[in-house]
Amino acid sequence: MKIIKIKEINKFENKLVRINGWVYNSRRSGKIGFLTVRDGFGLIQCVVVKDDIGDESFESFKRLTQESSITVIGKVVKNDRAIGKYGILVDSYELHHLSQDYPITPKEHGTEYLMANRHLWLRSKRQHAILRVRHEIVKSIRDFFDMNDFTLVDTPIFTPNAAEGTSTLFRTEYFGKEAFLAQTGQLYGEASAMAFGRHYNFGPCFRAEKSKTRRHLTEFWMVEPEIAYCDIEEDMMWAENLLIYIVQQVIKNKSNELNILERDIDVLKKVAGPFPRVSYTDCIEILNKADFNIKWGEDFGSPEETYIANQYDSPVIVHRFPSKIKAFYMKRDPENEKVVLGMDILAPEGYGEIVGGSERETNIDILIDRIDEEKLNKSDYDWFLDLRRYGSVPHSGFGMGLERVVAWICGLSHIRETIPFARTMSRLNP
RNA sequence: UCCGGUAUAGCUCAGUUGGUUAGAGCAGUGGACUGUUAAUCCACGUGUCCCUGGUUCGAGUCCAGGUACCGGAGCCA
């Protein structure tokens, strides 16, 4: 007899099968019982009839608890009343472990409680769906870069320097020296782009900012392509095409999960491109028309960002920011020295910045000036400056925050559900 | 760091103007039920009311300080 996955149940109509899983829910009505079983691949309703399995088995069935691990043996039958349109008429079952007092009941719980039980919450339908969408997004990111001849080159997590000098870094001890957990792999990505032409790195980043909002994690995953012989316009195109590809793949392959999450797929279908491109200077004008009272040169706050994003159905690309509010490595616009060739992509529906990128400064003298201006330690960047000494070329790249993309595509109100084990200011466990 | 909010049963919450023995639903246990979808119905239990101090005849309730957590700002993906 075959052990099958619930997701392939429709291939086994009227066959006897085995399913390895866990009790999702159990209820009964006299001499007939209904056991919803999950196996990690899906849910199925198993019908337990006293007269079929015998008094003794039925008595022990009545004692089955939520999340007990069992193997169910029975016949697959079509059943319109059941979830998934198929059910199993139980012949017998084997109990592996009887779960006692499972903390997550089918009733409501607070988020704090659920986060404290995150290791168990992962079994719930919604959390399962979110992480499967995350999986699809990760896969489509890797496929996209693979199809376009990018090479994955992993960048280190221990670093000696502060790449952007602005964000707070986690400090650690490294054989008697000070080291930091990487907040970006970008500088290493630039080295790799000079070796491979098209590079990307994808891994965890760490930021010790004391941010307590629904958009922040202290540990999150970022994908960062870096492309040689690429200007800012091409950079925007890569980011746009990546986002469109991700959304298409999720709609195509994870529609069940989006339904479980009650995500409006029509909203996602509007993400077709080309995305609107608005300069920072134009944004200032738009914002002041809406009574925001922001001066040229000031950085956008969260309300400003949300207002700009809400003007459009699809993500919007904001570009050419004042150089003073952006990182030292961004190239200045030859047509306007006051701005840099940087761009941010803002997701619709208030999900905020999901991409940040730029064309990189190639002139070593300007870079050294900028490093001094930011009061960074020049010796830490000597290897980075080498990239401008030996065959410097125009190049660009961007970083995309995985969890914010997951939150946006799933339509979630909080980023902590987008990663299996969230790390926030107040949570290091489980 | 700043601003706002919350803290009562295993979980989710109610608790009046300060009043005597602190409540509900769910979960759990036992029972009834052959078509349930968070099944329903009957019976049974549970408390450091976050901590410390204060006001009061009397504090879960009012006041002060503290702690923890939540949301927002800043910062950012």
Side-chain angles (χ1 to χ4, degrees):
Chain A
M1 197 189 322
K2 240 187 135 168
I3 294 169
I4 67 156
K5 300 184 195 82
I6 290 170
K7 67 172 185 173
E8 55 187 14
I9 195 83
N10 58 346
K11 296 178 198 158
F12 295 90
E13 194 174 346
N14 296 321
K15 299 260 168 57
L16 203 59
V17 299
R18 295 167 70 98
I19 287 174
N20 290 328
W22 295 263
V23 175
Y24 195 78
N25 194 10
S26 171
R27 51 192 176 272
R28 58 180 190 278
S29 184
K31 293 170 184 166
I32 185 168
F34 304 94
L35 196 64
T36 306
V37 172
R38 60 170 194 88
D39 71 345
F41 308 100
L43 290 173
I44 192 155
Q45 177 169 283
C46 304
V47 181
V48 185
V49 178
K50 190 176 183 180
D51 292 345
D52 291 355
I53 65 163
D55 290 1
E56 205 177 304
S57 285
F58 196 77
E59 282 307 305
S60 58
F61 151 77
K62 282 159 74 173
R63 285 193 295 273
L64 284 181
T65 54
Q66 194 188 356
E67 289 302 320
S68 289
S69 45
I70 56 169
T71 295
V72 174
I73 297 150
K75 192 169 92 172
V76 179
V77 291
K78 214 164 184 171
N79 184 347
D80 284 339
R81 284 171 292 193
I83 43 161
K85 303 289 175 201
Y86 286 89
I88 288 180
L89 267 174
V90 177
D91 267 11
S92 62
Y93 70 87
E94 191 184 326
L95 174 68
H96 304 293
H97 178 249
L98 192 67
S99 167
Q100 293 289 350
D101 297 323
Y102 186 67
I104 302 177
T105 64
K107 288 282 175 176
E108 41 187 283
H109 298 283
T111 315
E112 247 331 278
Y113 179 79
L114 290 167
M115 284 304 290
N117 287 287
R118 183 61 170 171
H119 53 297
L120 304 173
W121 195 21
L122 299 178
R123 303 180 187 192
S124 303
K125 208 193 277 182
R126 253 183 86 79
Q127 299 308 310
H128 197 263
I130 293 166
L131 292 180
R132 282 173 56 84
V133 172
R134 177 188 169 102
H135 167 89
E136 185 70 34
I137 292 171
V138 170
K139 183 177 185 300
S140 58
I141 289 168
R142 295 198 184 283
D143 288 345
F144 177 86
F145 287 122
D146 194 48
M147 288 183 300
N148 286 291
D149 293 314
F150 283 70
T151 302
L152 173 71
V153 177
D154 301 311
T155 54
I157 285 170
F158 284 124
T159 55
N161 52 19
E164 297 182 20
T166 51
S167 298
T168 321
L169 296 162
F170 282 106
R171 191 181 300 238
T172 184
E173 193 261 13
Y174 194 80
F175 301 115
K177 286 180 196 161
E178 189 177 48
F180 301 95
L181 300 186
Q183 57 170 337
T184 169
Q186 194 215 303
L187 302 188
Y188 299 95
E190 291 192 38
S192 173
M194 298 305 127
F196 296 90
R198 289 179 182 177
H199 150 101
Y200 80 103
N201 55 279
F202 193 3
C205 296
F206 306 88
R207 305 222 174 146
E209 290 155 3
K210 294 189 173 176
S211 302
K212 291 179 284 188
T213 81
R214 64 179 76 179
R215 299 183 305 282
H216 287 88
L217 295 167
T218 54
E219 177 182 317
F220 65 96
W221 280 61
M222 187 155 69
V223 57
E224 298 176 284
E226 191 72 31
I227 309 132
Y229 293 100
C230 173
D231 64 13
I232 185 70
E233 302 304 326
E234 189 185 332
D235 197 39
M236 292 182 199
M237 189 204 75
W238 281 112
E240 179 181 67
N241 288 343
L242 172 63
L243 281 168
I244 292 168
Y245 183 74
I246 290 168
V247 171
Q248 281 175 349
Q249 292 303 112
V250 172
I251 291 172
K252 187 173 147 201
N253 300 318
K254 291 291 177 283
S255 57
N256 282 345
E257 283 75 5
L258 292 174
N259 282 334
I260 289 168
L261 299 168
E262 294 172 310
R263 181 57 159 140
D264 186 352
I265 293 176
D266 288 338
V267 171
L268 294 178
K269 281 182 180 161
K270 288 178 188 160
V271 184
F275 299 163
R277 287 156 165 77
V278 190
S279 73
Y280 167 89
T281 305
D282 289 344
C283 285
I284 293 295
E285 205 170 302
I286 293 168
L287 288 166
N288 280 323
K289 268 184 196 162
D291 295 329
F292 269 92
N293 194 20
I294 180 171
K295 292 192 193 78
W296 198 96
E298 290 172 0
D299 206 354
F300 298 153
S302 206
E304 287 84 358
E305 209 175 86
T306 304
Y307 182 82
I308 295 290
N310 283 345
Q311 305 307 302
Y312 310 93
D313 283 342
S314 79
V316 53
I317 306 179
V318 181
H319 58 87
R320 290 178 172 78
F321 295 90
S323 51
K324 281 191 180 147
I325 58 171
K326 286 292 173 181
F328 76 89
Y329 50 74
M330 292 192 183
K331 185 181 171 68
R332 293 196 183 169
D333 188 348
E335 290 172 17
N336 178 2
E337 285 291 308
K338 284 183 180 166
V339 300
V340 288
L341 297 172
M343 59 102 176
D344 285 350
I345 302 185
L346 308 179
E349 302 164 79
Y351 283 95
E353 190 182 333
I354 50 174
V355 168
S358 69
E359 187 169 337
R360 318 306 191 188
E361 183 55 67
T362 48
N363 182 304
I364 192 167
D365 296 322
I366 293 175
L367 261 184
I368 290 170
D369 283 351
R370 290 290 283 128
I371 286 170
D372 287 343
E373 271 175 42
E374 300 281 337
K375 298 191 176 81
L376 301 171
N377 185 358
K378 208 174 111 196
S379 64
D380 284 344
Y381 296 91
D382 204 43
W383 67 266
F384 182 68
L385 295 172
D386 268 358
L387 305 175
R388 277 72 180 169
R389 293 187 182 106
Y390 307 109
S392 187
V393 300
H395 62 291
S396 301
F398 62 86
M400 188 182 83
L402 175 64
E403 286 77 15
R404 285 195 183 169
V405 172
V406 176
W408 163 52
I409 290 179
C410 291
L412 305 179
S413 61
H414 203 297
I415 198 167
R416 70 190 144 202
E417 293 176 45
T418 63
I419 187 165
F421 295 95
R423 293 290 173 259
T424 63
M425 257 186 85
S426 57
R427 183 163 298 287
L428 193 55
N429 253 309

